[in-house]
Amino acid sequence: VTRGKTRDLDLQYLSDCLEKLSLEGEQWTVEIAFVVPMDKLEAFRMGDIANEDALSKYGWRRGEEESKLCVFGIDPKAQG
């Protein structure tokens, strides 16, 4: 979840987290999603992506990372 206009991403951090969960070697699909306020959805852009090959064992190909990321908008106002 972010309110920023851009967000950098270090894929090595995510790879380390997955390894600590002992998911390595299993058949898992790894998806990454950013959630931003609805009014900032159109302006949101990915910043730098570091360690691009860190998720290769989970099927992520170097250079295709940004196209695999999902960005969703939500209304941050409390409901109910």
Side-chain angles (χ1 to χ4, degrees), residues 22-34:
S22 300
L23 299 179
E24 187 175 349
E26 298 289 333
Q27 189 66 18
W28 291 91
T29 299
V30 175
E31 296 181 8
I32 301 171
F34 288 89

PDB file of all heavy atoms in Angstrom, residues 22-34:
ATOM      1  N   SER A  22      10.109 -20.929   3.243  1.00  0.00           N
ATOM      2  CA  SER A  22      10.395 -22.270   2.705  1.00  0.00           C
ATOM      3  C   SER A  22       9.534 -22.585   1.491  1.00  0.00           C
ATOM      4  O   SER A  22       9.054 -23.709   1.330  1.00  0.00           O
ATOM      5  CB  SER A  22      10.208 -23.340   3.789  1.00  0.00           C
ATOM      6  OG  SER A  22      11.073 -23.110   4.867  1.00  0.00           O
ATOM      7  N   LEU A  23       9.340 -21.612   0.620  1.00  0.00           N
ATOM      8  CA  LEU A  23       8.547 -21.817  -0.587  1.00  0.00           C
ATOM      9  C   LEU A  23       9.401 -22.215  -1.780  1.00  0.00           C
ATOM     10  O   LEU A  23       8.879 -22.585  -2.814  1.00  0.00           O
ATOM     11  CB  LEU A  23       7.755 -20.548  -0.921  1.00  0.00           C
ATOM     12  CG  LEU A  23       6.767 -20.090   0.131  1.00  0.00           C
ATOM     13  CD1 LEU A  23       6.075 -18.818  -0.320  1.00  0.00           C
ATOM     14  CD2 LEU A  23       5.746 -21.162   0.430  1.00  0.00           C
ATOM     15  N   GLU A  24      10.712 -22.123  -1.626  1.00  0.00           N
ATOM     16  CA  GLU A  24      11.605 -22.447  -2.735  1.00  0.00           C
ATOM     17  C   GLU A  24      11.439 -23.913  -3.120  1.00  0.00           C
ATOM     18  O   GLU A  24      11.338 -24.795  -2.272  1.00  0.00           O
ATOM     19  CB  GLU A  24      13.050 -22.172  -2.335  1.00  0.00           C
ATOM     20  CG  GLU A  24      14.014 -22.311  -3.470  1.00  0.00           C
ATOM     21  CD  GLU A  24      15.422 -21.926  -3.080  1.00  0.00           C
ATOM     22  OE1 GLU A  24      15.616 -21.357  -2.000  1.00  0.00           O
ATOM     23  OE2 GLU A  24      16.314 -22.214  -3.875  1.00  0.00           O
ATOM     24  N   GLY A  25      11.384 -24.177  -4.388  1.00  0.00           N
ATOM     25  CA  GLY A  25      11.253 -25.526  -4.892  1.00  0.00           C
ATOM     26  C   GLY A  25       9.810 -25.971  -5.048  1.00  0.00           C
ATOM     27  O   GLY A  25       9.536 -26.941  -5.714  1.00  0.00           O
ATOM     28  N   GLU A  26       8.907 -25.268  -4.432  1.00  0.00           N
ATOM     29  CA  GLU A  26       7.486 -25.569  -4.589  1.00  0.00           C
ATOM     30  C   GLU A  26       7.003 -24.933  -5.888  1.00  0.00           C
ATOM     31  O   GLU A  26       7.638 -24.038  -6.427  1.00  0.00           O
ATOM     32  CB  GLU A  26       6.678 -24.997  -3.416  1.00  0.00           C
ATOM     33  CG  GLU A  26       7.055 -25.574  -2.075  1.00  0.00           C
ATOM     34  CD  GLU A  26       6.611 -27.018  -1.901  1.00  0.00           C
ATOM     35  OE1 GLU A  26       5.617 -27.414  -2.528  1.00  0.00           O
ATOM     36  OE2 GLU A  26       7.275 -27.733  -1.141  1.00  0.00           O
ATOM     37  N   GLN A  27       5.870 -25.356  -6.362  1.00  0.00           N
ATOM     38  CA  GLN A  27       5.278 -24.766  -7.559  1.00  0.00           C
ATOM     39  C   GLN A  27       4.365 -23.619  -7.129  1.00  0.00           C
ATOM     40  O   GLN A  27       3.195 -23.824  -6.850  1.00  0.00           O
ATOM     41  CB  GLN A  27       4.504 -25.838  -8.337  1.00  0.00           C
ATOM     42  CG  GLN A  27       4.042 -25.389  -9.688  1.00  0.00           C
ATOM     43  CD  GLN A  27       5.219 -25.118 -10.634  1.00  0.00           C
ATOM     44  OE1 GLN A  27       6.343 -25.543 -10.430  1.00  0.00           O
ATOM     45  NE2 GLN A  27       4.943 -24.394 -11.683  1.00  0.00           N
ATOM     46  N   TRP A  28       4.896 -22.424  -7.040  1.00  0.00           N
ATOM     47  CA  TRP A  28       4.148 -21.249  -6.612  1.00  0.00           C
ATOM     48  C   TRP A  28       4.108 -20.224  -7.727  1.00  0.00           C
ATOM     49  O   TRP A  28       5.057 -20.082  -8.489  1.00  0.00           O
ATOM     50  CB  TRP A  28       4.802 -20.606  -5.387  1.00  0.00           C
ATOM     51  CG  TRP A  28       4.699 -21.436  -4.158  1.00  0.00           C
ATOM     52  CD1 TRP A  28       5.609 -22.368  -3.726  1.00  0.00           C
ATOM     53  CD2 TRP A  28       3.651 -21.431  -3.204  1.00  0.00           C
ATOM     54  NE1 TRP A  28       5.176 -22.931  -2.563  1.00  0.00           N
ATOM     55  CE2 TRP A  28       3.975 -22.375  -2.213  1.00  0.00           C
ATOM     56  CE3 TRP A  28       2.457 -20.720  -3.086  1.00  0.00           C
ATOM     57  CZ2 TRP A  28       3.157 -22.626  -1.120  1.00  0.00           C
ATOM     58  CZ3 TRP A  28       1.651 -20.966  -1.999  1.00  0.00           C
ATOM     59  CH2 TRP A  28       1.995 -21.911  -1.034  1.00  0.00           C
ATOM     60  N   THR A  29       3.024 -19.477  -7.779  1.00  0.00           N
ATOM     61  CA  THR A  29       2.926 -18.333  -8.663  1.00  0.00           C
ATOM     62  C   THR A  29       3.094 -17.095  -7.796  1.00  0.00           C
ATOM     63  O   THR A  29       2.342 -16.901  -6.833  1.00  0.00           O
ATOM     64  CB  THR A  29       1.556 -18.285  -9.366  1.00  0.00           C
ATOM     65  OG1 THR A  29       1.408 -19.463 -10.141  1.00  0.00           O
ATOM     66  CG2 THR A  29       1.446 -17.055 -10.251  1.00  0.00           C
ATOM     67  N   VAL A  30       4.087 -16.288  -8.105  1.00  0.00           N
ATOM     68  CA  VAL A  30       4.351 -15.078  -7.326  1.00  0.00           C
ATOM     69  C   VAL A  30       3.796 -13.882  -8.084  1.00  0.00           C
ATOM     70  O   VAL A  30       4.147 -13.651  -9.237  1.00  0.00           O
ATOM     71  CB  VAL A  30       5.861 -14.901  -7.067  1.00  0.00           C
ATOM     72  CG1 VAL A  30       6.142 -13.590  -6.359  1.00  0.00           C
ATOM     73  CG2 VAL A  30       6.399 -16.077  -6.264  1.00  0.00           C
ATOM     74  N   GLU A  31       2.910 -13.152  -7.424  1.00  0.00           N
ATOM     75  CA  GLU A  31       2.353 -11.936  -7.983  1.00  0.00           C
ATOM     76  C   GLU A  31       2.588 -10.797  -6.999  1.00  0.00           C
ATOM     77  O   GLU A  31       2.514 -11.008  -5.789  1.00  0.00           O
ATOM     78  CB  GLU A  31       0.858 -12.101  -8.250  1.00  0.00           C
ATOM     79  CG  GLU A  31       0.570 -13.153  -9.296  1.00  0.00           C
ATOM     80  CD  GLU A  31      -0.912 -13.307  -9.587  1.00  0.00           C
ATOM     81  OE1 GLU A  31      -1.712 -12.491  -9.087  1.00  0.00           O
ATOM     82  OE2 GLU A  31      -1.266 -14.241 -10.313  1.00  0.00           O
ATOM     83  N   ILE A  32       2.857  -9.625  -7.519  1.00  0.00           N
ATOM     84  CA  ILE A  32       3.084  -8.445  -6.687  1.00  0.00           C
ATOM     85  C   ILE A  32       2.077  -7.385  -7.087  1.00  0.00           C
ATOM     86  O   ILE A  32       1.908  -7.093  -8.273  1.00  0.00           O
ATOM     87  CB  ILE A  32       4.518  -7.905  -6.865  1.00  0.00           C
ATOM     88  CG1 ILE A  32       5.538  -8.998  -6.492  1.00  0.00           C
ATOM     89  CG2 ILE A  32       4.728  -6.650  -6.037  1.00  0.00           C
ATOM     90  CD1 ILE A  32       6.958  -8.645  -6.828  1.00  0.00           C
ATOM     91  N   ALA A  33       1.419  -6.826  -6.088  1.00  0.00           N
ATOM     92  CA  ALA A  33       0.411  -5.797  -6.352  1.00  0.00           C
ATOM     93  C   ALA A  33       0.668  -4.579  -5.473  1.00  0.00           C
ATOM     94  O   ALA A  33       1.036  -4.715  -4.309  1.00  0.00           O
ATOM     95  CB  ALA A  33      -0.983  -6.337  -6.083  1.00  0.00           C
ATOM     96  N   PHE A  34       0.475  -3.427  -6.046  1.00  0.00           N
ATOM     97  CA  PHE A  34       0.519  -2.171  -5.307  1.00  0.00           C
ATOM     98  C   PHE A  34      -0.900  -1.653  -5.194  1.00  0.00           C
ATOM     99  O   PHE A  34      -1.666  -1.705  -6.156  1.00  0.00           O
ATOM    100  CB  PHE A  34       1.380  -1.131  -6.032  1.00  0.00           C
ATOM    101  CG  PHE A  34       2.846  -1.437  -5.970  1.00  0.00           C
ATOM    102  CD1 PHE A  34       3.447  -2.214  -6.936  1.00  0.00           C
ATOM    103  CD2 PHE A  34       3.609  -0.947  -4.935  1.00  0.00           C
ATOM    104  CE1 PHE A  34       4.790  -2.511  -6.872  1.00  0.00           C
ATOM    105  CE2 PHE A  34       4.963  -1.234  -4.857  1.00  0.00           C
ATOM    106  CZ  PHE A  34       5.553  -2.011  -5.827  1.00  0.00           C
TER     107      PHE A  34
END
